[in-house]
Amino acid sequence: MERTAAQRAFANVLVNTLIANVTTSFLWFALTFWVYIETQSVLATGIIGGAYMLFIAFFAMIFGTIVDRHRKHTVMLLSSVISAAAFLVAGVLYVWQPESALLDLGGPWFWIFSLVILFGGVIEQLRNIALSTTVTLLIPEERRANANGLVGTVQGLAFLVTSVFSGLSIGFLGMGWTLGIAIVAMVLTFVHLLFIRIPEGTPTPDPDAPSALDFRGSVAAIKLAPGLFALIVFSTFNNLIGGVYMALMDPYGLTLFDAQMWGFALAFSSTGFIIGGALVAKFGLGAKPMRTLLFVVIAMGLLGSIFMLREWWPLFVLGMWVYMALVPPAEAAEQTVIQKVVRYDRQGRVFGVAAAMEAAAAPITAFLIAPIAEFLIIPYMDSSAGQRQWGWLLGEGDARGIALICLFAGLIMVVVGGLAFFTKSYRKLTDLYANAPEQDPQADAGEGTEAPENADAAEVAAVGEVADAGERADAEGAPGAPGTVSAPALVDPVSARGGRASAEEAPSEERDRAGG
């Protein structure tokens, strides 16, 4: 693609997101490692993971409304400031209270300390929702699947760095220095953001969304795309299964490795994220992203059911690697569908609803499976009766109870993914994606924007008429296409996607160029 202001902005936002994701994941992983190593409690790690997802479920729809109402750059700055402040509060608590109090699961300081860190990490979801809509804003429709693959690659890089340094930091430096590193890194993301310019206008507030939680507007946007609600429900169910892995993965890994080696194992497996995202960035998702999504989900279920069949670390690590390589295509498929079938000015709220529903599913499973695993399944598999019944399939080891749970969770995912092919919602959404008109919300001019390099009059001034109730903003002329736009037909691109600037407010030199 030609280098334009929009594409440079997207590249800078990706770099900034990488730094922010590394920081928040680094501290969250470190907290989980620290708590498990010091307490040896599967229940505690399950609650931490479940609380994180529960926070996302609670705030995601509010985040979506914030993203739709404000400039994406402003939203990202807000995310950095709040995360940095939360981590600073956690640092003060760590200095103020002894570690014994912070690790006492029956005392209040453990929960306060953990929740403050988790809140700082959850605010990162605000940035992630803004990033999803920024793909629609800055990237042409035919390249959005590839851009979503790049997002997956960045997430993989963040996971790789996090996995290595969280284990090393807790193993060699302790929780105090880990907090200090996170605070400094988050401040750096804020400073870097100050130098990024995203070509965008200021959105006009939706008169039908007076509150911070616009659930009605989100539902209305989802209803306009037949089958989209079924996609969100399907992803929600997958997260129910994902909650099993979230609650049990670290305890299983820390059974096989010490904290430092487990960090390296996670780092190696996280290169699967990078490869999976890079493949999507290179080749896209095909003409039918929904079909790609279902095939990927079935493959993930098969892997999840077999990579713990034996307590053998190469099988576990290799299985994790392939599993993680399948995550970016699955996430990119869902994002690409939403970016095409949902009107741009409501995408933040739709992404927020999707994140809320999907995130709410995982803690339900995590909160249920962690105590069931610790008090029922693991003791049963450690008994002679459990070993006699399942030993032929799961072999011997210290974590056969976790393996049994993951086996059935994976098989359920395979069955549900296969059945989804035969649903009416799958056919409807596939047809809608294939026939949906292209929307191009990018603003190359207007209030608070700068025109990309080498943009002609059609790219700068002609974006088309504003469409309501699910219609799109059509470009009067494709970018780079020859032709002129007469003054009466001028529609400012910021106004065309709901911004405040209008044709009359456009700078005079832009009106002169657009007029001929």
Side-chain angles (χ1 to χ4, degrees), residues 24-102:
T24 54
S25 298
F26 167 77
L27 192 54
W28 179 35
F29 274 54
L31 175 67
T32 304
F33 294 168
W34 183 62
V35 170
Y36 185 77
I37 291 169
E38 297 293 337
T39 67
Q40 296 294 306
S41 174
V42 174
L43 180 61
T45 58
I47 291 175
I48 289 173
Y52 179 81
M53 301 304 291
L54 196 62
F55 270 30
I56 292 177
F58 180 79
F59 288 106
M61 283 194 287
I62 298 176
F63 290 167
T65 305
I66 292 172
V67 168
D68 280 343
R69 286 181 174 181
H70 299 87
R71 293 174 183 259
K72 309 305 175 272
H73 184 258
T74 303
V75 169
M76 293 177 182
L77 283 171
L78 178 66
S79 173
S80 293
V81 169
I82 296 178
S83 292
F87 296 161
L88 183 61
V89 170
V92 171
L93 288 175
Y94 184 84
V95 172
W96 181 31
Q97 293 292 323
E99 282 199 1
S100 58
L102 297 177

Side-chain angles (χ1 to χ4, degrees), residues 42-300:
V42 174
L43 180 61
T45 58
I47 291 175
I48 289 173
Y52 179 81
M53 301 304 291
L54 196 62
F55 270 30
I56 292 177
F58 180 79
F59 288 106
M61 283 194 287
I62 298 176
F63 290 167
T65 305
I66 292 172
V67 168
D68 280 343
R69 286 181 174 181
H70 299 87
R71 293 174 183 259
K72 309 305 175 272
H73 184 258
T74 303
V75 169
M76 293 177 182
L77 283 171
L78 178 66
S79 173
S80 293
V81 169
I82 296 178
S83 292
F87 296 161
L88 183 61
V89 170
V92 171
L93 288 175
Y94 184 84
V95 172
W96 181 31
Q97 293 292 323
E99 282 199 1
S100 58
L102 297 177
L103 289 166
D104 181 9
L105 303 185
W109 292 114
F110 168 79
W111 303 106
I112 295 173
F113 181 70
S114 299
L115 289 176
V116 168
I117 291 177
L118 293 180
F119 177 74
V122 164
I123 295 298
E124 182 65 15
Q125 186 66 26
L126 179 61
R127 181 197 301 269
N128 291 336
I129 293 174
L131 179 62
S132 295
T133 62
T134 302
V135 171
T136 312
L137 172 68
L138 301 178
I139 304 300
E141 187 274 329
E142 68 275 9
R143 301 289 292 174
R144 285 177 193 150
N146 307 82
N148 289 325
L150 285 175
V151 172
T153 301
V154 165
Q155 292 171 341
L157 284 168
F159 196 85
L160 186 153
V161 175
T162 295
S163 302
V164 172
F165 286 99
S166 292
L168 291 176
S169 185
I170 290 298
F172 293 115
L173 300 178
M175 194 63 190
W177 280 103
T178 300
L179 277 165
I181 293 169
I183 294 167
V184 172
M186 190 53 65
V187 171
L188 289 177
T189 66
F190 172 78
V191 174
H192 179 240
L193 269 174
L194 294 176
F195 294 93
I196 297 176
R197 294 294 179 265
I198 298 177
E200 58 176 333
T202 303
T204 299
D206 188 345
D208 297 325
S211 67
L213 183 60
D214 183 24
F215 181 74
R216 185 175 63 177
S218 305
V219 170
I222 294 172
K223 284 182 176 179
L224 289 173
L228 183 58
F229 183 72
L231 169 61
I232 295 174
V233 170
F234 179 74
S235 299
T236 299
F237 179 82
N238 288 337
N239 275 32
L240 279 170
I241 304 300
V244 174
Y245 300 113
M246 180 181 69
L248 302 179
M249 192 69 69
D250 283 327
Y252 189 86
L254 290 169
T255 300
L256 299 178
F257 306 99
D258 59 27
Q260 291 91 331
M261 289 305 299
W262 174 230
F264 281 111
L266 281 176
F268 169 77
S269 61
S270 69
T271 60
F273 272 129
I274 301 172
I275 299 300
L279 289 174
V280 176
K282 176 67 175 178
F283 300 107
L285 296 164
K288 296 181 178 180
M290 279 297 300
R291 181 176 61 185
T292 303
L293 172 63
L294 295 186
F295 280 132
V296 167
V297 166
I298 291 172
M300 292 172 76

